[in-house]
Amino acid sequence: MTIRDLIEGKKEWRAHMARVKALPKDYQIVYREIQKYLFKVAPVELSDGTDLISGIVDLFEEGAASGKGVLEVTGQNVAVFCDDLIRVSSNN
């Protein structure tokens, strides 16, 4: 990995986090908890995890644009939502 790769990765992460900060507050809170859970539990490489996390932001942006609450998107049990994401991403 070169310095250029590190810089590009950092730019991408900042852009990703800017998207998260643009979400409604309840979505941001649940996103941070999902992120912590996935980084601790998920058996995925960081590059795969980044795609997974970006997909979550996409889903959350769609839910917020539709006027749904975050738990309408994830379901009441966010841990089960995370486990399902891990299972689906492991099968791909």
Side-chain angles (χ1 to χ4, degrees):
M1 181 174 277
T2 67
I3 300 245
R4 184 172 302 269
D5 293 337
L6 291 172
I7 291 169
E8 286 302 314
K10 195 174 222 179
K11 285 180 184 177
E12 289 174 18
W13 186 252
R14 286 184 180 150
H16 171 81
M17 290 310 295
R19 289 176 61 201
V20 172
K21 289 179 183 176
L23 291 168
K25 202 59 146 172
D26 59 336
Y27 278 87
Q28 291 179 40
I29 292 167
V30 172
Y31 168 83
R32 285 188 196 102
E33 292 304 313
I34 288 171
Q35 181 185 34
K36 283 189 239 177
Y37 185 87
L38 291 177
F39 283 162
K40 283 183 182 178
V41 177
V44 293
E45 296 296 319
L46 185 57
S47 61
D48 296 335
T50 303
D51 291 340
L52 179 64
I53 290 174
S54 291
I56 293 168
V57 176
D58 292 341
L59 180 65
F60 279 12
E61 287 173 336
E62 290 173 21
S66 299
K68 295 180 180 178
V70 68
L71 295 181
E72 290 179 83
V73 174
T74 62
Q76 292 295 316
N77 191 331
V78 178
V80 169
F81 174 79
C82 291
D83 291 339
D84 289 344
L85 287 175
I86 293 167
R87 187 175 51 252
V88 168
S89 69
S90 297
N91 291 335
N92 291 334

